[in-house]
Amino acid sequence: MKETVIQFGEGAFLRSFVDYFFHGLNEKGLYDGKVVVVQPIEQGLIPVLNEQNGEYHQFLRGIKDGQPVEEMTKITVISRGVDPYKDYAEYLKLAHNPDARVIVSNTTEAGIVYLGTEKLDDAPPKSFPAKLTALLYERFKAGLPGFIILSCELIDKNGDVLKECVLKYCDLWQLGDEFKNFIMNENHFCSTLVDRICTGYPRDDIEAFTAKIGKVDNLVNTAEIFHLWVIEGNFEDELPFQKAGFNVVWTDDVTPYKKRKVRILNGGHTSMVLAAHLYGLETVGECVADPVVGKFLHKTLFDEIIPTLGNSDVDIQFGKDVVERFANPFVKHRLLSIALNSVSKFTARVLPTIIEYYEQNKKLPACLTFSLAALIAFYRTDAANDLPEIMEYMKTASVADILAKNEYWGQDLSFMKDTVEAYYNSIQNDGMAKAYEAVLA
């Protein structure tokens, strides 16, 4: 089968979402193509993926029509994995495949970034947009057509931002106007919204999953049943997701869908998990069930986040659905999994709500501001997982200096200093339990 999709990212989410969809298209006879996976950072799962010939088992679990449902699918859509850090020439060869038509990425919010320090002959360039620019330039030189590029990172206008970064690298590397025209006119940078809670490898229950599969699978993946993919543009003729029965929306504007989902679901996650970890909890389900953290979540969603969106019936119902999804008894979504790259996640998912709430009410939202203090306290611990330079700075800098770090937040947050510092001192001096009491009082 032809390799038609180049996928940047081999993590649990893409395997539960994009790869699951393309597998379904093939199974229904609506598509004829395989996914080749590129490892976007130096450490990753490509060796494991190749050992298993790209195959793994996907479990979807949840409550449907009031009944527990579990679906197991053996995913066979991935042809192979390519590690550009070990074989950059093989990576560039992907551009010469005339069957390749789609590029998909999920490199986290920190992935779509213009560094401006790389060179075209770096093997590979450090950032994902720089790697992509090098691949597209190789494609251009080969005289082959461009791609449908589907960005799944949770930032506003992810496709537009990625395109902007690529054009900056085009200028930095002086690749010429013809190539720039190729980028703008022959490639479709589609902004998208993705929604599925993916819980990844079921570490705690792996023996039970192995028994169901009948053999060892080091890439077993778990996720909820619910899914939504909103994509700007309409390529249903080439990618018949709707015909296959998937909840995919082709639209002219992803903004209203994305804003609701990122602010409520992802913002709910990010504003809750770091404080909850410091409180001693391990999963999202435990958070919903805990009387203190559950109350914190409810207040965050319905008193602070949803009012800034307009408090419409649609928003309120989405919030209720999110709480129900968080409470899914089959989903053991680990807090430390969500905590990866929390600085960039907070900036994208939570900070816009804080700013809008402040503008609307002339005061800071208590729970969301508290969550920023918890973020700073969390980064003082060894549980933080982010870029080394961010972890080093966050561990040693003062609260005031962290809030003034425009590079992290896209603005100076010094106006929040007194409130954040008070919450931070409460967490550090009184413990998380008493700190929660204060913010919920």
Side-chain angles (χ1 to χ4, degrees), residues 274-438:
L274 304 183
H277 169 77
L278 296 173
Y279 186 62
L281 303 183
E282 295 184 359
T283 68
V284 171
E286 290 176 3
C287 293
V288 177
D290 185 271
V292 173
V293 182
K295 182 179 179 181
F296 178 86
L297 172 64
H298 194 275
K299 184 174 180 180
T300 301
L301 293 178
F302 296 100
D303 293 355
E304 297 182 4
I305 296 177
I306 292 174
T308 67
L309 297 173
N311 243 1
S312 71
D313 290 344
V314 174
D315 294 332
I316 292 170
Q317 186 58 51
F318 188 83
K320 292 176 179 178
D321 291 343
V322 161
V323 174
E324 189 174 78
R325 290 167 64 191
F326 284 4
N328 183 342
F330 295 103
V331 173
K332 292 186 178 179
H333 203 173
R334 293 188 168 276
L335 304 184
L336 290 183
S337 295
I338 303 168
L340 175 68
N341 296 333
S342 283
V343 168
S344 60
K345 285 178 177 175
F346 192 93
T347 302
R349 303 174 176 188
V350 182
L351 188 56
T353 301
I354 293 177
I355 300 303
E356 289 183 23
Y357 186 99
Y358 184 74
E359 291 173 348
Q360 292 173 13
N361 299 283
K362 309 307 177 190
K363 64 179 181 178
L364 290 168
C367 293
L368 294 176
T369 307
F370 177 82
S371 71
L372 179 53
L375 181 149
I376 296 171
F378 173 79
Y379 270 79
R380 309 296 207 206
T381 73
D382 293 334
N385 188 357
D386 210 316
L387 295 173
E389 57 267 29
I390 291 179
M391 291 195 293
E392 182 179 354
Y393 184 83
M394 293 290 290
K395 187 167 280 192
T396 57
S398 68
V399 171
D401 286 343
I402 289 171
L403 294 176
K405 191 78 167 175
N406 194 296
E407 177 187 345
Y408 289 174
W409 318 113
Q411 57 190 294
D412 187 338
L413 300 182
S414 296
F415 72 96
M416 299 175 63
K417 174 183 172 295
D418 290 346
T419 306
V420 173
E421 207 163 51
Y423 284 140
Y424 172 80
N425 289 334
S426 176
I427 292 169
Q428 298 292 59
N429 298 330
D430 305 326
M432 186 54 74
K434 286 194 174 297
Y436 267 131
E437 282 182 25

Side-chain angles (χ1 to χ4, degrees), residues 225-247:
I225 295 170
F226 178 90
H227 69 272
L228 170 66
W229 198 1
V230 184
I231 307 171
E232 284 188 354
N234 192 341
F235 296 96
E236 178 71 16
D237 288 345
E238 290 188 65
L239 307 172
F241 293 123
Q242 292 179 342
K243 188 174 181 181
F246 294 117
N247 189 20

Side-chain angles (χ1 to χ4, degrees), residues 102-122:
V102 179
I103 291 176
V104 182
S105 70
N106 186 13
T107 56
T108 80
E109 287 90 332
I112 299 184
V113 60
Y114 173 75
L115 299 178
T117 56
E118 300 122 311
K119 299 176 182 177
L120 178 59
D121 57 4
D122 288 345

Side-chain angles (χ1 to χ4, degrees), residues 15 68 85 97 105 137 172 176 260 264 271 300 333 342 402:
R15 289 189 287 113
Y85 291 86
N97 172 15
S105 70
Y137 188 55
L172 177 69
R260 179 184 300 120
I264 298 176
S271 59
T300 301
H333 203 173
S342 283
I402 289 171

